[in-house]
Amino acid sequence: MHITHRFQPARLRTAAFALAVLGLVAGTVSAGPAQFVIVNINAAGVGFNDPTPATPVGGNPGTTLGEQRLIAFQYAASLWSTRLDSSVPIRIRAQFTPLGAGVLGSAGPVSVVRDFPNAPLSGTWYHVALANKLAGIDLLPANDDINANFSTNFNFYLGLDSNHGTLNDLVTVLLHEFAHGLGFSQNASLTTGALLAGFPDHYNSKLFDTTVNKFWPQMTSAERLASATNFGHVVWTGSYVTAGVPNVLSFGTPTVAVNSPVSIAGAYQFGTAAFGPAIGHPNVAGNVEAAVDAVEIGGTSTDGCSPFTNAGTIAGKIALVERGLCGFAQKARNATDAGALAVIIYNQAANVNAAPAAMGDDGVNGAFVTIPAVSLRRADGLAIAGQLSVGVSANIVIDLTVRAGADPLGRARLYAPFPVVGGSSISHYDTIASRNLLMEPAINPDLTHRVKAPDDLTFELLRDVGWTFPDADGDGFADDEDCNAHSITTATIVIGGIDTGVPNHLFETGCTSSDLIAALHSGAGNHGGFVSGVAHLSDGWVADGLISGREKGAIQSAAAKND
């Protein structure tokens, strides 16, 4: 007997994305074995039903704002449909509604389920859409599976072609949020560390903390709570993601690390500056010294707000400065004037529970900063200050031996900043990743609609938690990436009124015109072998038999895209 829990998802509050709760069936999408049903719960005249006239854009033919929103939803669902295999329809209850500042959207499972038929792990929660797929039946037929809210406070780009310019691309946001509902999130409390009802889930079962060398289900609540803010040390252990990391993430991770003494050695969470050179330009390695300056009214001797009185000691060293009284750029300028190699600015007592600051320029001093500047949380700054009497050495570098977004063993890092970011921490990839990933907590303008390696690692994580891809011929390749007769029969291109048997995406997934020729020669597709012969010669396409010049040209044009 399976056990269910009505899930109240955390709100993924980010600069762009968020997890949350999302009646009238608006549309069904079935572009592959996984069928998505979009359930529109907006009232008349708003959201999906907004009658505001709209001009078709980027392949979206809708003529009202509401219609374009729904078409974008259906398109995003179709992209996931081609990737995921399930015999149970996935119901997404959705609406457009005002959300919090900076939140584009939010989504999560309506329920989580454990100990159902075919569950890979006993005593483990699964998002209901994934549980249904694994069980092969709808475990909660009266319920929807995913809740989704999207903001009416933003002017989204509603085209389907990724040409969003400076606007936020709705399809990208949808792909991100749907992934949360499909299984890209965990359920343990990040305020107490407690597992949901005392049981782990399919996601946190693959979370590993490299400091304590434990998986999350093995930890005490206190250990999980500490792990949630253990920056850079919470990694994903699933085999599909790990195999995909070398194909997606680039070598060269920005790092602020203490080398000695051993008691405080390691990589630290840091913030960057809008002024001065970026980390790694140049790499800096040196001893750390505390800056000392005159005490101004309301200031301290450690705040670096006036010229350093120990400039001779600071020269050739990394200056350690406390936040407060004056701006970051002024402190960094004083460190530059003292001959420092770099400057570390750590939070003052008033910001003891704050993350390392993102340091803005003041429009005056930043132009004079010629050294790297980074910020640290207060606890880390005090730890360094407490060891200066025995000597502290540190690096502020681009580490070319480690991929950005992975640990030294090549495992993908999860987002684990201090303090916990409600709805974002742990249930996203680390923001340090490069290339940028769809499942980081904030949107990036260079994201694509391709959700798998070599472009992304979202699909790989969903595979790690139990999703499989459509593979009707059992050859180990997803149907939409097969270059064989079976995939050609799933055609959607019609030329001159004849179904050629060629999928629209054939030349976007590694197939070539040679694959197309071979399939046409074999008589694949609904045309039942109407082609008596096709050859691909150096001067282009030559056809004998029943392909007209117009049809040949259209196929050739499609093939030329990626051949």
Side-chain angles (χ1 to χ4, degrees):
M1 179 171 181
H2 68 267
I3 299 174
T4 67
H5 179 86
R6 194 72 174 178
F7 186 62
Q8 299 298 326
R11 186 175 182 77
L12 286 176
R13 180 184 176 83
T14 70
F17 289 130
L19 274 180
V21 182
L22 273 163
L24 175 68
V25 176
T28 297
V29 177
S30 181
Q35 183 186 49
F36 287 77
V37 178
I38 311 301
V39 180
N40 172 9
I41 63 171
N42 273 132
V46 299
F48 289 116
N49 308 315
D50 192 320
T52 304
T55 302
V57 59
N60 188 329
T63 56
T64 68
L65 178 58
E67 185 182 15
Q68 287 192 355
R69 286 168 169 168
L70 180 57
I71 289 170
F73 254 73
Q74 292 171 327
Y75 180 71
S78 76
L79 294 177
W80 275 124
S81 181
T82 63
R83 289 276 168 248
L84 305 176
D85 185 16
S86 178
S87 61
V88 183
I90 300 165
R91 294 175 57 86
I92 302 178
R93 189 153 44 105
Q95 65 177 335
F96 276 81
T97 187
L99 298 177
V103 179
L104 296 180
S106 62
V110 172
S111 306
V112 293
V113 186
R114 62 180 173 86
D115 298 316
F116 51 87
N118 302 321
L121 298 173
S122 62
T124 301
W125 296 114
Y126 287 79
H127 289 29
V128 67
L130 174 57
N132 289 344
K133 175 264 185 304
L134 294 169
I137 57 173
D138 194 336
L139 298 167
L140 301 172
N143 295 345
D144 296 322
D145 304 311
I146 297 173
N147 295 312
N149 289 290
F150 295 88
S151 179
T152 54
N153 299 329
F154 290 89
N155 180 24
F156 287 105
Y157 178 70
L158 299 177
L160 313 180
D161 58 1
S162 297
N163 293 323
H164 54 81
T166 60
L167 297 178
N168 292 307
D169 184 57
L170 180 59
V171 171
T172 299
V173 177
L174 294 169
L175 290 171
H176 175 110
E177 299 302 344
F178 290 178
H180 282 313
L182 292 166
F184 202 120
S185 61
Q186 69 88 39
N187 302 327
S189 170
L190 299 187
T191 57
T192 68
L195 296 173
L196 178 64
F199 293 93
D201 60 60
H202 67 276
Y203 183 97
N204 62 35
S205 293
K206 295 187 182 299
L207 297 178
F208 186 77
D209 189 299
T210 62
T211 299
V212 297
N213 291 319
K214 289 183 180 180
F215 287 92
W216 270 41
Q218 298 171 332
M219 297 179 184
T220 65
S221 292
E223 288 174 326
R224 271 187 296 275
L225 192 59
S227 182
T229 57
N230 195 8
F231 174 80
H233 295 286
V234 183
V235 298
W236 184 262
T237 59
S239 60
Y240 288 109
V241 170
T242 301
V245 161
N247 300 318
V248 178
L249 301 181
S250 302
F251 279 109
T253 187
T255 302
V256 176
V258 170
N259 303 315
S260 65
V262 173
S263 59
I264 61 169
Y268 285 37
Q269 181 183 348
F270 63 92
T272 56
F275 51 81
I279 290 178
H281 302 280
N283 283 342
V284 173
N287 293 327
V288 180
E289 291 289 347
V292 179
D293 70 316
V295 179
E296 305 87 351
I297 297 175
T300 68
S301 63
T302 60
D303 61 23
C305 288
S306 57
F308 298 170
T309 58
N310 65 337
T313 301
I314 292 295
K317 308 288 178 52
I318 298 172
L320 181 66
V321 178
E322 189 174 17
R323 182 179 178 182
L325 189 64
C326 64
F328 298 112
Q330 184 175 341
K331 298 171 189 286
R333 179 179 180 178
N334 289 334
T336 299
D337 292 343
L341 298 174
V343 59
I344 296 171
I345 303 172
Y346 65 97
N347 283 344
Q348 78 277 48
N351 295 103
V352 64
N353 292 319
M359 299 182 290
D361 197 356
D362 58 13
V364 176
N365 291 290
F368 299 93
V369 177
T370 60
I371 59 175
V374 297
S375 63
L376 296 182
R377 49 186 286 203
R378 181 164 180 80
D380 293 336
L382 291 178
I384 292 172
Q387 295 296 316
L388 292 178
S389 61
V390 299
V392 176
S393 67
N395 291 343
I396 302 175
V397 301
I398 296 291
D399 187 345
L400 295 176
T401 69
V402 178
R403 295 182 187 274
D407 78 339
L409 296 182
R411 298 169 295 190
R413 286 166 45 170
L414 283 307
Y415 183 58
F418 174 89
V420 163
V421 180
S424 293
S425 289
I426 301 299
S427 291
H428 290 87
Y429 285 128
D430 199 318
T431 56
I432 209 165
S434 181
R435 59 185 301 155
N436 287 319
L437 300 176
L438 175 67
M439 298 309 292
E440 293 179 40
I443 196 169
N444 290 291
D446 59 345
L447 295 174
T448 73
H449 297 166
R450 297 184 292 273
V451 296
K452 65 184 290 293
D455 301 290
D456 195 65
L457 290 169
T458 308
F459 176 60
E460 281 72 14
L461 188 142
L462 293 182
R463 289 194 69 187
D464 278 334
V465 299
W467 285 100
T468 54
F469 52 76
D471 181 19
D473 59 1
D475 66 354
F477 295 94
D479 289 343
D480 74 318
E481 295 187 347
D482 270 341
C483 295
N484 57 23
H486 169 73
S487 92
I488 299 300
T489 64
T490 63
T492 56
I493 291 180
V494 176
I495 302 174
I498 301 173
D499 186 342
T500 66
V502 182
N504 282 316
H505 50 259
L506 180 66
F507 299 105
E508 298 175 1
T509 55
C511 299
T512 68
S513 56
S514 298
D515 298 310
L516 174 61
I517 296 167
L520 293 176
H521 260 306
S522 72
N526 297 333
H527 56 286
F530 79 99
V531 180
S532 60
V534 179
H536 191 194
L537 304 179
S538 59
D539 60 349
W541 287 73
V542 175
D544 61 24
L546 301 178
I547 292 184
S548 70
R550 176 184 175 188
E551 293 158 356
K552 176 186 70 177
I555 295 175
Q556 182 179 6
S557 175
K561 292 180 180 179
N562 285 286
D563 192 18

